[in-house]
Amino acid sequence: LGFFEWPTDKSYRKSLACFVQPSHPIVQHLVLDAVAPLKKLHDIRSFTHLIKMDSTDKADSALESLYETLKEKYEIHYALQPPSFERDYQVIRPPHRVLSGTNEKKGKGTCIDLALLISSCLENIHLQPVIIFTKENHNTLHAIVGCWKQITERFELLLTNKERLREVIEKKQILCVEVTGF
């Protein structure tokens, strides 16, 4: 594989998890920035406190705080993917390429770059992210990030059955966010 290139073929979907970086300094800084909206919106003093709470809306509170932080404190624009020199591969921007720096609070990325950034934040705070792909047209995929509402051991690492995915979304077992909205 080339540097930060991901094969988009269905048989390699699990390999996308390699690009989730919960310990990256940019991710850690973003999570710290999201504590302020967590306090303001939900009166919870930290993500550690949120995870320890006996509450069913942990994912809701975490995603809302992260989303509000990115929307209000950062200036992020959608950008086309960098060129890949392989057929059926996509170049992935790591957190330090999505957000150019924590001081500037500016950045750019594709839907998958932004989904991976939020997934990294969710893993950093010990929640279980999900990246869902929808087909835009014959060759284009769109990434949406989600989070399992309950923290449990998962036996379905990859949901490929559309009906099963629809079922868990309708039962509100997964909370989804459109990452290009901020």
Side-chain angles (χ1 to χ4, degrees):
L1 289 178
F3 189 65
F4 285 104
E5 288 194 354
W6 176 64
T8 56
D9 185 82
K10 285 182 181 183
S11 57
Y12 295 102
R13 291 282 161 82
K14 285 184 188 179
S15 69
L16 187 63
C18 297
F19 295 98
V20 176
Q21 301 179 43
S23 297
H24 194 287
I26 295 286
V27 170
Q28 292 174 344
H29 193 274
L30 180 56
V31 168
L32 286 174
D33 272 356
V35 170
L38 185 66
K39 286 179 186 176
K40 182 181 175 184
L41 297 168
H42 304 286
D43 198 29
I44 300 169
R45 66 180 184 263
S46 70
F47 285 107
T48 303
H49 185 72
L50 173 70
I51 297 304
K52 290 181 179 180
M53 290 174 56
D54 186 27
S55 173
T56 57
D57 61 349
K58 294 176 190 180
D60 303 70
S61 300
L63 271 172
E64 182 179 18
S65 299
L66 288 166
Y67 191 88
E68 284 301 311
T69 298
L70 287 164
K71 185 176 99 176
E72 299 299 327
K73 291 187 173 187
Y74 290 80
E75 187 180 319
I76 299 177
H77 299 281
Y78 186 87
L80 296 175
Q81 67 184 18
S84 174
F85 300 103
E86 299 290 334
R87 188 172 167 243
D88 300 326
Y89 279 66
Q90 179 166 344
V91 174
I92 303 291
R93 289 181 181 92
H96 61 279
R97 296 270 190 243
V98 174
L99 298 176
S100 55
T102 54
N103 294 337
E104 294 178 27
K105 299 196 185 278
K106 292 183 180 183
K108 64 180 179 181
T110 62
C111 58
I112 197 163
D113 298 330
L114 301 173
L116 286 164
L117 179 65
I118 293 189
S119 294
S120 296
C121 292
L122 291 168
E123 276 198 19
N124 179 282
I125 57 178
H126 302 286
L127 291 173
Q128 297 173 330
V130 176
I131 296 176
I132 299 168
F133 290 103
T134 61
K135 268 207 174 176
E136 293 285 305
N137 58 40
H138 298 294
N139 297 324
T140 307
L141 296 174
H142 180 63
I144 298 170
V145 72
C147 184
W148 288 96
K149 289 190 68 126
Q150 286 197 327
I151 303 170
T152 62
E153 187 174 340
R154 301 278 174 231
F155 297 103
E156 294 174 283
L157 297 177
L158 186 65
L159 291 175
T160 55
N161 182 313
K162 290 177 189 175
E163 293 306 315
R164 172 73 177 124
L165 180 60
R166 186 172 288 123
E167 175 188 328
V168 298
I169 291 172
E170 286 174 358
K171 288 183 178 180
K172 298 184 181 182
Q173 294 172 329
I174 292 178
L175 181 65
C176 297
V177 174
E178 170 53 63
V179 293
T180 58
F182 54 75

